């Protein structure tokens, strides 16, 4: 499934990888995580009706909608759409009315917050690493605490 | 076709964009170029039988094969493959035996060289900017010369 | 004091800039903030006996000790020391027993936490921007809340 | 001289390091090179009367003048000056009329060119790595050729 040449070169057949559950109706395949810069790359699939919670970008993100359609603050993004979400962008909940597949590069932490604007958790490269390794506990680490 | 919100937010319907010719049988749609970091993002299509010349990565690149199949030094990458090409990677000519569509992020210059190993041109973010603007002369600037 | 040529070129005489108070005995001159990548650069001075609170790096940082001496988890860093603090590093409180001057590049957010490991605030590029503009309120924004 | 904790943490006493010759009257101590991003950090000293050849930045650079004075296209930068040199900047020869010490972060390749604008060599992170290792041949590799 994975061929690594010259130490750093990566070729992944993503179809052969398992989906990790990221949230209700949201699955993820983490393709690469840089432990140096924190940048990570993933395929994300959202089932019709699923939601990606309100969040703020503490780093930019960009990617393509490969299948389905994403509805978010900027507009409606059908398959074939390219998205760039800048550092500092605050996005209300993102929804899909149809099954949707996304390819994304994420360049920094993403902070999720509740309706009162209080941060509830921070998705960092460490979360991405844990999801890459298939850990069940991957998405419960709150607010980037140092290890106990 | 393009919606920009909050100055920096980007949503592009790539299907509505025109292909620029990058080489014999190779077309490109440049989706974003950072004039600060030099990072750029593009869709690249290669007709069956076309070739991407031998090159060296002066910055990393990553992306997905969306359609077709890419044949390069690391192996055969069918649709659904994720590729990471590290800084410093030297790639012999890349070919396709079928029509192929790629989505790529490029993090630094790419130096093309002839059989003798002599650099013939450097593809920089300035080349990407010119291709984004549809210039006919985009790919003739050699070796990142300062403007005359 | 500032000369900007060709839009982006920067030359600052830092001696002519005012110190902003960052904390008890800690002053800062923010030299540049990238609103695209979140990277920022600053001179930081710490009075003898002052402390930089326990924190976790959500991005790497590097720099030089220009005067004095920094005492932190890795060791004692006198003037002339180069420091690289990787993404994910958790640093206990950093102290100085003599007046100390640092030049730093910061590549991502820094999360401060209390003794229980609870995050109390996140220093982001927005904090750096506010400090650059001399705002009195710069360092009170907690946990990167979206604007009310 | 060097203490590395937790694999990635770096603390260097730069005063104990040897200068490498980079050019006539120009010495360098390379402090860190990222083999992932190509970013590198160095102290550079220029003897009075020495010159840094005309070049184009294929990545940005920033730093401080720690001692002496730098004269370049943007202006005169005495000790205490902060400089940011953006991606794409073309700099005519930089000179010093007094002994000068610089601390710099370099974010991409630097292309040197002759009076006719022809590129004569490209300083990449590989050049920086070679200089870090003290190689005598460090600065002769031209135009980022692939290894023979």
């Amino acid at each position: 499934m994975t061929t690594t040449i010259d130490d750093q070169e990566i070729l992944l057949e993503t179809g052969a990888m398992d989906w990790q559950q990221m949230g209700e109706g949201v699955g993820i395949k983490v393709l690469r995580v840089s432990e140096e810069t924190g940048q990570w790359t993933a395929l994300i699939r959202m089932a019709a009706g699923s939601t990606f919670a309100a969040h703020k970008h503490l780093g930019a993100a960009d990617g393509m909608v490969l299948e389905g359609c994403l509805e978010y603050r900027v507009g409606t993004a059908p398959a074939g759409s390219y998205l760039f979400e800048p550092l500092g962008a605050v996005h209300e909940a993102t929804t899909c009315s149809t099954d949707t597949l996304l390819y994304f590069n994420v360049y920094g932490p993403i902070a999720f917050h509740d309706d009162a604007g209080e941060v509830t958790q921070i998705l960092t490269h460490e979360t991405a690493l844990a999801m890459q390794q298939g850990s069940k506990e991957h998405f419960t680490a709150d607010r980037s605490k140092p290890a106990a």
Side-chain angles (χ1 to χ4, degrees), chain A:
Chain A
M1 187 188 86
T2 304
T3 311
T4 303
I5 288 185
D6 289 352
D7 253 324
Q8 305 292 332
E9 199 109 28
I10 299 172
L11 170 52
L12 288 174
E13 286 183 34
T14 65
M17 297 172 67
D18 291 325
W19 290 102
Q20 298 294 320
Q21 195 177 340
M22 193 180 179
E24 185 69 26
V26 181
I28 191 166
K29 294 180 182 180
V30 176
L31 306 176
R32 180 174 173 270
V33 180
S34 166
E35 298 195 54
E36 179 173 329
T37 66
Q39 177 177 344
W40 53 278
T41 306
L43 286 167
I44 297 173
R45 72 170 179 192
M46 298 176 68
S50 66
T51 294
F52 201 72
H55 56 277
K56 178 170 181 173
H57 288 272
L58 303 188
D62 58 26
M64 285 284 288
V65 180
L66 301 182
E67 300 171 13
C69 185
L70 201 68
E71 288 127 48
Y72 72 128
R73 201 184 50 146
V74 180
T76 296
S81 297
Y82 164 77
L83 282 69
F84 178 76
E85 305 182 350
L87 171 67
V90 178
H91 284 150
E92 298 313 308
T94 301
T95 58
C96 305
S97 48
T98 182
D99 290 355
T100 297
L101 181 65
L102 311 165
Y103 171 82
F104 257 86
N105 270 303
V106 179
Y107 303 101
I110 299 175
F112 291 85
H113 47 82
D114 59 22
D115 292 344
E118 192 73 13
V119 170
T120 52
Q121 68 184 174
I122 300 176
L123 199 172
T124 67
H125 84 290
E126 293 174 358
T127 323
L129 272 176
M131 292 190 293
Q132 188 180 37
Q133 291 154 13
S135 163
K136 295 281 188 286
E137 299 91 69
H138 55 67
F139 210 57
T140 58
D142 62 330
R143 300 202 208 116
S144 196
K145 268 190 204 178

